[in-house]
Amino acid sequence: MDINLMIEIAPLLVKAAWVTVDISARALFFGFFIASALVALRTSRIPPARWLARAYISVVRGTPYFVQLLLVFYGGPAIGLRLDPFTCGVVVGAFNIGAYMSEAMRGAIESVDSGQSEASRSLGFGRLATLQHIILPQAAALMIRSVGVLAIILVKNSSLVSIISVVELTYQAQRLIGSTYKPLEVFMLSALMYIVIIYAVMGIVEFLYRRATRYTFL
């Protein structure tokens, strides 16, 4: 094993790893708002809104992320949608993770005992106020770990944006293999960086979960 090579290429892979973190963080951020909108539609009293949200979630969850990425990047220009590779990765990642996250959020909200809503209504709270002050604070703790798992999946899926030439960790590793002919060293180092990123995400999720449940028995 060429340790000197690994030391030499480490800065290049670290720089690419930051691109992986950046694209994943942006996708997760925007995905949260997409998921919130989908939850609002799924719980709406308007049937077409519920059908639209359900159809969108079914389509996204029923097709591979890889196919979605290629469809938007290569098929988008046909309808006037031209995105640079990085932006395409963020947009597709956000809409993809948003569909999965919406189900995690909806499940957490529905797991809160219905008696909480009834008690809130009896005290004069409206539907929105009940959701904001009673349901969501309890549901937040329940959805943290589910969202954390999805964040880890998003980081792993970010390697697929290499197919549209985003210079993230996997793409940089492939380029280095082409110039060094040392796949073992390059992929071992890139795998180590993925592990560091994922364990960092796990640490953040565990910290948030403990903070959210410090006064509860969850």
Side-chain angles (χ1 to χ4, degrees):
M1 184 177 295
D2 194 340
I3 301 299
N4 290 330
L5 174 66
M6 295 176 72
I7 294 173
E8 182 181 346
I9 66 175
L12 295 174
L13 289 176
V14 168
K15 184 177 180 180
W18 277 115
V19 177
T20 294
V21 172
D22 189 16
I23 200 169
S24 301
R26 289 171 189 257
L28 187 66
F29 175 79
F30 292 114
F32 174 80
F33 293 101
I34 293 169
S36 300
L38 288 171
V39 171
L41 292 175
R42 283 294 304 270
T43 57
S44 171
R45 295 176 179 176
I46 304 172
R50 295 198 302 270
W51 299 337
L52 179 63
R54 191 178 297 115
Y56 171 78
I57 292 169
S58 298
V59 169
V60 171
R61 295 177 68 181
T63 54
Y65 174 73
F66 181 75
V67 173
Q68 296 166 16
L69 196 63
L70 294 179
L71 181 64
V72 173
F73 188 71
Y74 292 109
I79 58 172
L81 180 65
R82 287 179 170 81
L83 301 175
D84 63 84
F86 184 88
T87 302
C88 181
V90 172
V91 170
V92 176
F95 278 95
N96 180 276
I97 205 67
Y100 288 91
M101 198 186 302
S102 68
E103 292 298 278
M105 293 169 66
R106 188 172 66 88
I109 290 171
E110 291 180 351
S111 67
V112 176
D113 190 87
S114 59
Q116 301 279 343
S117 297
E118 295 171 3
S120 176
R121 295 293 183 86
S122 68
L123 292 173
F125 284 89
R127 186 169 180 265
L128 185 59
T130 298
L131 181 66
Q132 180 180 354
H133 299 292
I134 307 298
I135 305 301
L136 286 181
Q138 298 179 68
L142 298 172
M143 69 177 71
I144 285 174
R145 281 183 170 168
S146 296
V147 172
V149 170
L150 293 174
I152 291 171
I153 293 172
L154 181 61
V155 171
K156 293 179 179 179
N157 281 346
S158 69
S159 64
L160 294 174
V161 300
S162 62
I163 197 67
I164 57 173
S165 302
V166 176
V167 187
E168 46 72 64
L169 190 51
T170 298
Y171 186 85
Q172 184 67 280
Q174 292 171 340
R175 291 205 309 189
L176 289 170
I177 289 170
S179 60
T180 63
Y181 301 101
K182 294 290 183 73
L184 177 62
E185 289 84 348
V186 175
F187 275 134
M188 281 189 64
L189 194 54
S190 60
L192 178 62
M193 291 183 183
Y194 273 115
I195 290 172
V196 170
I197 294 170
I198 288 169
Y199 270 86
V201 173
M202 291 171 61
I204 293 170
V205 169
E206 192 62 27
F207 170 77
L208 293 175
Y209 180 77
R210 288 178 180 176
R211 290 282 297 177
T213 59
R214 65 189 185 277
Y215 300 126
T216 69
F217 297 100
L218 292 176

